[in-house]
Amino acid sequence: MDTIRLAIVGYGKIARDQHHPAIAGHTGYRLDAVASRNAEVAGVANFESLEALLEEGPEIDAVSLCTPATVRTAQARLAMAHGKHVMLEKPPGATLAEIEILREDAQRCGVTLFASWHSRHAPYVAQARRWLTTRKIQRVDIEWKEDVRVWHPGQAWIWQPGGMGVFDPGINALSIATAILPRPFYLVDAQLQVPGNCQTPIAASLDFIDGVNVPIHAEFDFRQADTPPIWDIHVETDDGRLTLTRGGCEMLIDGQSQGMQEDAEYAGLYERFANLIHQGQSDLDVSPLRHVADALTLGYRHTVDDFVE
């Protein structure tokens, strides 16, 4: 196919701010439809549900699922059963087990399935990975802090089971760490701060080690009010300190900037999705979600003040 006819399912903040502009800026796509309960988009066919889109809508090739993870698997299975390629916003599902079902469905239906991790497409992630390849890593420190009221305003689902709380942004840091570090790592301790009126944590302190006992520490916090967000990863090596800051839009070596670029993560996502479709392949890496699942399993829960929007 020359042009991929695409539909967005779930037109909320992330679809409006990131997905739609990225699609509009890519010559390989044409946005033909949107399925959303609470929004309509001018110039395309609009439906209240994916079911209605598939039954009544224009012919499409692929769907981009921007709905909450708790409903995404059922939607992905339905779309693939109709022969559509599927991009999954992060996280790819609410559980690890359901991802394996999706993997089998994609193979059986002969379609592309893409578990997208947008932060891996930040400008300096690939360069950081290359730089670390020839160094001995001694320690990793991750600091990922932002204001939930700014980045997820009015989104009560994030505090419900499956919503992940602070791990919704924290998984972005883990997606970068699993991409740039040369060895797998695993969780050894997790301290979770959970508001008394919520089911998911508002902050988390995590400790990992890799196969040669390199310590990896992460601090996630959703309470970074009135100050800019912090999206930093620091890697101490035998040949200097690498820092990815601004979510990977800038890289520093021993405090000296190696350059800074504007965020183009979602453009990278859609380029990757198009390539996978044209190559007849899928990409379903779940390593960042596995770390979150481990934290929610092993983590010690500390009750903190109720969260009020």
Side-chain angles (χ1 to χ4, degrees):
M1 66 187 75
D2 294 326
T3 300
I4 299 169
R5 300 166 295 180
L6 187 70
I8 293 176
V9 182
Y11 199 85
K13 179 176 172 57
I14 194 68
R16 181 177 64 252
D17 294 350
Q18 300 291 349
H19 286 265
H20 197 165
I23 295 164
H26 196 297
T27 58
Y29 291 96
R30 187 179 72 221
L31 182 64
D32 281 354
V34 166
S36 185
R37 292 182 300 172
N38 302 311
E40 290 190 357
V41 177
V44 305
N46 288 273
F47 302 88
E48 290 190 355
S49 68
L50 174 61
E51 290 83 355
L53 186 159
L54 293 171
E55 292 176 6
E56 308 165 15
E59 186 62 35
I60 58 172
D61 304 303
V63 299
S64 182
L65 297 183
C66 304
T67 47
T70 50
V71 300
R72 210 174 288 150
T73 290
Q75 292 174 335
R77 299 195 74 190
L78 178 64
M80 289 190 291
H82 282 76
K84 313 306 179 187
H85 307 294
V86 174
M87 177 194 283
L88 302 165
E89 241 294 354
K90 58 87 184 173
T95 71
L96 289 166
E98 65 196 73
I99 306 304
E100 298 311 310
I101 303 298
L102 294 182
R103 193 189 307 273
E104 292 178 356
D105 282 359
Q107 292 174 348
R108 183 175 60 255
C109 296
V111 298
T112 290
L113 180 61
F114 178 33
S116 67
W117 301 104
H118 63 82
S119 291
R120 287 181 174 175
H121 294 268
Y124 285 95
V125 169
Q127 186 171 331
R129 179 173 60 247
R130 291 192 296 270
W131 191 87
L132 290 171
T133 299
T134 58
R135 273 83 180 178
K136 181 179 179 181
I137 297 173
Q138 299 169 333
R139 179 177 176 84
V140 181
D141 287 284
I142 301 169
E143 190 176 11
W144 222 258
K145 300 178 179 180
E146 62 186 58
D147 185 353
V148 65
R149 294 175 176 86
V150 172
W151 296 94
H152 292 279
Q155 297 178 15
W157 60 266
I158 206 166
W159 303 115
Q160 301 303 315
M164 298 205 311
V166 76
F167 287 114
D168 183 81
I171 204 170
N172 296 334
L174 294 171
S175 74
I176 294 176
T178 52
I180 67 173
L181 298 179
R183 291 178 297 273
F185 52 90
Y186 64 95
L187 187 73
V188 293
D189 184 75
Q191 304 293 319
L192 312 178
Q193 298 186 43
V194 183
N197 61 340
C198 299
Q199 297 295 315
T200 56
I202 198 167
S205 180
L206 310 175
D207 285 292
F208 306 87
I209 58 173
D210 69 6
V212 295
N213 294 321
V214 170
I216 301 164
H217 180 73
E219 291 286 340
F220 301 154
D221 205 321
F222 245 163
R223 301 167 297 188
Q224 186 79 356
D226 303 321
T227 56
I230 299 172
W231 299 319
D232 295 349
I233 299 177
H234 308 283
V235 186
E236 302 285 352
T237 80
D238 63 343
D239 187 32
R241 185 183 203 231
L242 178 144
T243 295
L244 282 178
T245 189
R246 299 176 66 239
C249 289
E250 182 178 12
M251 187 173 89
L252 299 88
I253 303 297
D254 291 330
Q256 299 297 311
S257 179
Q258 307 301 297
M260 183 168 58
Q261 298 182 30
E262 292 302 315
D263 174 15
E265 295 173 2
Y266 281 82
L269 279 188
Y270 279 94
E271 180 67 18
R272 173 67 171 156
F273 189 35
N275 288 338
L276 288 170
I277 290 173
H278 293 311
Q279 294 164 7
Q281 298 177 353
S282 291
D283 179 354
L284 204 58
D285 176 31
V286 296
S287 54
L289 180 59
R290 185 179 297 116
H291 289 304
V292 172
D294 287 350
L296 294 173
T297 299
L298 295 178
Y300 186 91
R301 299 168 67 92
H302 305 267
T303 302
V304 296
D305 292 342
D306 287 1
F307 173 78
V308 180
E309 180 74 27

